[in-house]
Amino acid sequence: NIFQTFSEKEFQDARKTCIEAILHTDNVHHFAMVKEVQMMYEVTSETSDAARKLFQKDQKSFPTKDITELFRQPDTRKLLTKLLLHTSDISNCVKPFRICSIWATKVLEEFFLQGDAERKAGIPVQALNDRDKVNRPNSQVGFIEFLAAPLFFAVAKVLPPLLPCAKQMVDNTHTWSQTWAKETKPEPGESEKASMEERVKKMHVRYNECLPG
């Protein structure tokens, strides 16, 4: 029992922290969390940018003394606890593509099974749950573009050790776009391909903005 040496108050505080972190894996809190991280960066941009530049030269330098003091603040510690659990929860998109693809297939199948149940019950099938209509590679580009990327790009600015994760996410987006172009039937038109290329290009731009100047 890792809590056996805790006082009653310490145990209650730890329990509350765990519950809050777990509840914040619900995507209903996602965009609020993105804003919190963005706000934390804006308030500490000078310190965070300096730490990020130093990290590029010496990875062992992180966290710096100033960053450590920042992370010890109670509100920041609570945010980081929720943040690390939530990023882990949606981290399939920042893993090497082979693993990313396996998990994407499993998650999509879970959605499709819900869609099958909705269809069987005679109720409208939600758009992302229809196995006959969802374009799998395009759905993953969309997931990364609209949900994962805003969070991981924001996180990378305050936690530079996660920059490689953000880079892998961008690479996975590119691979998903190539899979989309090869597997989609009928074959996408030139305007659709150009639109997809533009979406991927914007991801690269946003990643580059995370790198120290």
Side-chain angles (χ1 to χ4, degrees), residues 49-66:
D49 288 346
R52 210 156 74 251
K53 288 180 181 179
L54 189 57
F55 177 79
Q56 289 293 93
K57 297 177 182 178
D58 178 13
Q59 294 188 358
K60 293 181 180 179
S61 68
F62 191 87
T64 63
K65 181 179 178 181
D66 289 341

Side-chain angles (χ1 to χ4, degrees), residues 33 37-38 40-41 44 47-49 51-53 55-56 59 62-64 67-68 70-71 76-77 79-88 151-167 207 210-212:
M33 191 178 297
V37 180
Q38 290 172 336
M40 181 171 73
Y41 170 71
T44 66
T47 300
S48 296
D49 288 346
R52 210 156 74 251
K53 288 180 181 179
F55 177 79
Q56 289 293 93
Q59 294 188 358
F62 191 87
T64 63
I67 290 294
T68 300
L70 169 67
F71 287 175
T76 305
R77 290 173 66 182
L79 173 59
L80 289 173
T81 302
K82 294 182 289 187
L83 183 64
L84 291 173
L85 189 59
H86 183 48
T87 52
S88 298
L151 182 62
F152 278 100
F153 288 150
V155 170
K157 290 184 177 181
V158 295
L159 292 173
L162 293 185
L163 275 167
C165 292
K167 178 63 167 63
Y207 168 73
C210 297
L211 300 176

Side-chain angles (χ1 to χ4, degrees), residues 107-119:
V107 171
L108 283 171
E109 183 58 26
E110 184 178 341
F111 289 166
F112 295 156
L113 288 173
Q114 181 175 329
D116 295 343
E118 291 168 343
R119 185 178 289 107

Side-chain angles (χ1 to χ4, degrees), residues 123-134:
I123 61 178
V125 178
Q126 298 180 61
L128 293 177
N129 297 347
D130 194 329
R131 68 172 69 245
D132 298 323
K133 294 181 180 179
V134 171

Side-chain angles (χ1 to χ4, degrees), residues 28-207:
V28 71
H29 302 293
H30 179 83
F31 292 104
M33 191 178 297
V34 172
K35 288 183 179 179
E36 281 189 81
V37 180
Q38 290 172 336
M39 182 64 69
M40 181 171 73
Y41 170 71
E42 289 174 9
V43 172
T44 66
S45 58
E46 186 174 336
T47 300
S48 296
D49 288 346
R52 210 156 74 251
K53 288 180 181 179
L54 189 57
F55 177 79
Q56 289 293 93
K57 297 177 182 178
D58 178 13
Q59 294 188 358
K60 293 181 180 179
S61 68
F62 191 87
T64 63
K65 181 179 178 181
D66 289 341
I67 290 294
T68 300
E69 290 179 2
L70 169 67
F71 287 175
R72 282 177 174 165
Q73 295 177 13
D75 288 345
T76 305
R77 290 173 66 182
K78 288 181 181 179
L79 173 59
L80 289 173
T81 302
K82 294 182 289 187
L83 183 64
L84 291 173
L85 189 59
H86 183 48
T87 52
S88 298
D89 194 42
I90 61 171
S91 65
N92 62 291
C93 62
V94 303
K95 291 179 169 63
F97 186 76
R98 184 186 69 83
I99 301 173
C100 168
S101 178
I102 291 171
W103 276 106
T105 299
K106 291 181 180 293
V107 171
L108 283 171
E109 183 58 26
E110 184 178 341
F111 289 166
F112 295 156
L113 288 173
Q114 181 175 329
D116 295 343
E118 291 168 343
R119 185 178 289 107
K120 186 176 181 180
I123 61 178
V125 178
Q126 298 180 61
L128 293 177
N129 297 347
D130 194 329
R131 68 172 69 245
D132 298 323
K133 294 181 180 179
V134 171
N135 182 298
R136 290 160 174 78
N138 187 52
S139 74
Q140 295 310 296
V141 174
F143 169 76
I144 294 172
E145 182 179 24
F146 296 111
L147 195 80
L151 182 62
F152 278 100
F153 288 150
V155 170
K157 290 184 177 181
V158 295
L159 292 173
L162 293 185
L163 275 167
C165 292
K167 178 63 167 63
Q168 183 65 57
M169 177 182 65
V170 175
D171 291 344
N172 288 343
T173 308
H174 178 68
T175 305
W176 280 122
S177 72
Q178 292 179 317
T179 305
W180 168 82
K182 290 178 182 178
E183 296 183 357
T184 299
K185 303 297 179 186
E187 182 180 348
E190 292 304 314
S191 62
E192 291 177 296
K193 291 180 181 178
S195 176
M196 178 63 77
E197 288 177 4
E198 184 63 25
R199 291 167 69 185
V200 175
K201 186 183 297 183
K202 287 181 179 178
M203 291 285 291
H204 281 281
V205 171
R206 292 166 68 188
Y207 168 73

